[in-house]
Amino acid sequence: ALKIVTIGGGSSYTPELIEGYIKRKDELPIKEIWLVDIEEGKEKLAIVGEMAKRMVKAAGLPWTVHLTLNRREALKDADYVSTQFRVGLLNARIKDERIPLSHGVLGQETNGAGGMFKAFRTIPVILDIIKDMEELCPDAWLVNFTNPAGMVTEAAIKHGGWKKTAGLCNVPIGHRKQAAEKLNLPEDELFFKFAGINHFHWHRVWDKTGKERTAELIDLIYGPQSETESHLKNIHNVPFHYEQIKDLGMLPCGYHRYYYIEDEMLEHSIEEFKKGETRAQVVKATEARLFELYKDPNLDYKPKELEERGGTHYSDAACELIASIQNDKRTDMVVSTANNGTITDLPYDCIVEVSGPVTSHGPEPYNWGAFPPAARGIIQMMKGMEETVIRAAIDGDYGTALHAFTVNPLVPGGVMAKTLLDELLVAHKEHLPQF
Ligand code: NAD
Ligand code: G6P
Ligand code: MN
Ligand code: MN
């Protein structure tokens, strides 16, 4: 019988996770679900935790749901540990977004200056969690959902030494659904290969006759006749430049907008900033509405309103990954995992986001090979930036942090890098003991 733990259990996403377990009840012999949070998230945990209990009860399942602020009690003998915490909660995200924007620079919770600070706050905590896991549940799988998911997963595997870690994101799921819809084919008749790093990956698509459909999809989704769409609630729907994507020969992920059309994304973000409507501010209001709904003692299913969050359908990643490991299902999934030569342009031991079956011993990614030159340079730079961010997060070295900021393509200029770094270090001081 399984003991599953979620760290950051007070997140408004928790009903998504519970729904995913309920859907897979025949594949997951769950006994206990433990939701862990901290003092700051106590009230959220109580509200969404009661909601989780009602969902399990309504499904007629004998699982027990435990709410606790004691992480060690929860981790004892755990089989799977999923993480979905945000150090500093949404108020910290508001700073991640608004401080760079106040200097006319993109602020984003996973990319750019904001994402680097989210990594600085999060990596020490994930390494601490791993120390507890070594002692309390040495065989457990760590399913990391906490952003920036690629960097946090790399810190866990390479620096924490927790090999049984898989990083997840819902973006590839959206792209799979989008391709199936555009080609008017069932998703399971298509074969997908994704490669890159978290929020910076590309993909190719084949049908079951063996024919590659990537170029056709580029036309259907980004061509002159198509109506542009960002299937992510959190990413502004700005069209890519069709000719450039066509030249690339791979489908970009939604987050590539921040790089390929950075200037236009920045313009939109600045407008939102001026109106006091950056994504974190919008999400704060959505979260408040969600928790009002969760308080209703009659609500025992995931409400539609949760789709207003960018991470919708994430349980299709998290719960399916657990079911696939548990049952050696070999579901074809996109996971942040050790490269091991899958992408020849990137270091062997770094973490990449790639496709492949998930077995009982973890993901076994398909070989990808090399990227075309136009993608090779930028992904190597992005990976170098990530490695530098991780090193700064661990060592707390100012020079390393400044280097990460200087290398990040969303931070323009070394002087601006220093200005932003200095201001963010002060703003987030209480969550950065290492600096
Ligand atoms: P949130 O602000 O609601 O935070 C979730 C919970 O984490 C809060 O209840 C908070 O109190 C708790 N928390 C903070 N520090 C903690 C700690 N040290 N230990 C335990 N709990 C702690 O966040 P959210 O908006 O619900 O998002 C949750 C996380 O999931 C974020 O990191 C977000 O970036 C990530 N996310 C990832 C994806 C993905 O694609 N991988 C999708 C959506 C969200
Ligand atoms: C997408 C990304 C997540 C990100 C989320 C933000 O789903 O994959 O990594 O956390 O959007 O959504 P939000 O509603 O918090 O802006
Ligand atoms: Mn993501
Ligand atoms: Mn720069």
Side-chain angles (χ1 to χ4, degrees):
L2 299 178
K3 178 178 185 182
I4 302 186
V5 179
T6 294
I7 297 178
S11 163
S12 64
Y13 283 115
T14 291
E16 170 77 30
L17 209 51
I18 302 294
E19 184 193 68
Y21 294 138
I22 293 173
K23 265 194 210 161
R24 293 168 183 78
K25 61 179 191 297
D26 297 330
E27 300 174 32
L28 294 172
I30 295 174
K31 183 160 178 272
E32 299 170 24
I33 295 174
W34 286 70
L35 303 176
V36 186
D37 215 287
I38 52 170
E39 191 58 37
E40 277 173 285
K42 198 162 91 180
E43 277 164 50
K44 284 172 60 184
L45 177 68
I47 296 167
V48 77
E50 288 308 317
M51 162 90 186
K53 288 181 188 174
R54 292 194 298 274
M55 289 175 74
V56 168
K57 196 170 165 214
L61 293 162
W63 309 344
T64 54
V65 179
H66 306 256
L67 316 181
T68 183
L69 303 187
N70 184 341
R71 183 170 87 199
R72 291 177 59 84
E73 179 192 16
L75 289 177
K76 179 103 185 69
D77 301 323
D79 297 289
Y80 294 94
V81 178
S82 85
T83 50
Q84 54 173 29
F85 59 91
R86 183 191 303 279
V87 179
L89 294 99
L90 284 170
N91 286 338
R93 177 172 173 187
I94 291 178
K95 295 178 193 172
D96 285 340
E97 294 179 355
R98 292 194 62 89
I99 292 173
L101 284 168
S102 76
H103 292 274
V105 175
L106 265 173
Q108 216 282 327
E109 65 150 352
T110 61
N111 304 61
M116 290 188 282
F117 261 76
K118 194 171 192 303
F120 292 165
R121 298 196 301 279
T122 308
I123 287 172
V125 177
I126 199 82
L127 294 178
D128 241 31
I129 291 172
I130 287 173
K131 278 197 198 122
D132 282 349
M133 289 177 68
E134 278 165 359
E135 194 189 324
L136 299 164
C137 53
D139 291 323
W141 269 93
L142 176 58
V143 181
N144 178 59
F145 185 66
T146 301
N147 274 321
M151 287 191 258
V152 172
T153 301
E154 181 154 324
I157 295 179
K158 254 176 79 175
H159 300 272
W162 203 265
K163 303 292 179 216
K164 289 167 92 172
T165 306
L168 289 176
C169 175
N170 62 322
V171 168
I173 294 175
H175 284 296
R176 289 177 58 113
K177 290 189 194 304
Q178 178 189 42
E181 215 173 275
K182 293 284 171 188
L183 293 174
N184 202 10
L185 285 170
E187 198 183 312
D188 61 6
E189 282 187 18
L190 293 171
F191 183 83
F192 294 84
K193 254 167 106 167
F194 286 76
I197 58 178
N198 182 236
H199 292 184
F200 201 90
H201 48 74
W202 300 272
H203 59 287
R204 296 172 61 187
V205 187
W206 290 260
D207 66 24
K208 65 175 183 183
T209 73
K211 184 168 179 241
E212 180 159 9
R213 308 294 289 265
T214 310
E216 194 182 337
L217 278 165
I218 290 174
D219 281 355
L220 287 169
I221 302 172
Y222 304 112
Q225 260 77 51
S226 70
E227 239 175 75
T228 173
E229 57 184 283
S230 152
H231 56 77
L232 289 165
K233 281 275 177 352
N234 57 312
I235 298 184
H236 205 93
N237 193 10
V238 174
F240 283 103
H241 292 148
Y242 168 63
E243 298 84 351
Q244 180 223 334
I245 303 302
K246 206 172 139 103
D247 172 72
L248 183 66
M250 308 181 282
L251 287 145
C253 78
Y255 280 84
H256 274 115
R257 287 186 174 81
Y258 291 113
Y259 302 86
Y260 290 161
I261 36 174
E262 179 190 347
D263 31 15
E264 203 174 343
M265 292 299 278
L266 179 59
E267 248 175 67
H268 282 284
S269 303
I270 297 224
E271 271 167 41
E272 291 166 357
F273 168 80
K274 286 186 183 150
K275 289 189 279 185
E277 289 173 10
T278 65
R279 181 66 188 167
Q281 293 171 295
V282 171
V283 161
K284 232 187 146 171
T286 308
E287 185 190 63
R289 282 198 305 277
L290 282 168
F291 275 87
E292 277 314 305
L293 292 174
Y294 296 166
K295 278 182 192 162
D296 176 355
N298 295 314
L299 186 72
D300 56 14
Y301 57 90
K302 181 187 87 179
K304 181 103 180 115
E305 285 81 351
L306 189 49
E307 288 175 16
E308 290 306 309
R309 294 298 305 270
T312 178
H313 300 309
Y314 103 73
S315 63
D316 287 334
C319 305
E320 185 58 26
L321 180 102
I322 293 174
S324 200
I325 293 174
Q326 183 64 27
N327 303 299
D328 197 28
K329 269 178 84 178
R330 305 179 188 219
T331 308
D332 199 335
M333 294 187 71
V334 181
V335 177
S336 273
T337 188
N339 183 21
N340 288 335
T342 300
I343 299 172
T344 53
D345 301 312
L346 293 177
Y348 215 77
D349 65 347
C350 78
I351 297 317
V352 291
E353 197 161 298
V354 283
S355 295
V358 176
T359 73
S360 55
H361 62 271
E364 280 288 354
Y366 302 122
N367 178 56
W368 174 271
F371 283 114
R376 186 213 305 140
I378 190 166
I379 193 145
Q380 288 178 336
M381 180 171 71
M382 288 292 287
K383 180 47 81 180
M385 179 275 295
E386 286 195 351
E387 292 175 298
T388 313
V389 169
I390 296 166
R391 201 155 55 82
I394 294 172
D395 298 344
D397 183 82
Y398 179 83
T400 311
L402 183 54
H403 215 155
F405 263 60
T406 308
V407 170
N408 193 307
L410 298 186
V411 178
V415 176
M416 178 60 82
K418 190 167 190 311
T419 304
L420 287 182
L421 175 65
D422 290 345
E423 200 171 323
L424 283 158
L425 277 172
V426 173
H428 287 303
K429 198 170 188 316
E430 61 171 317
H431 296 296
L432 298 170
Q434 76 274 43
F435 280 97

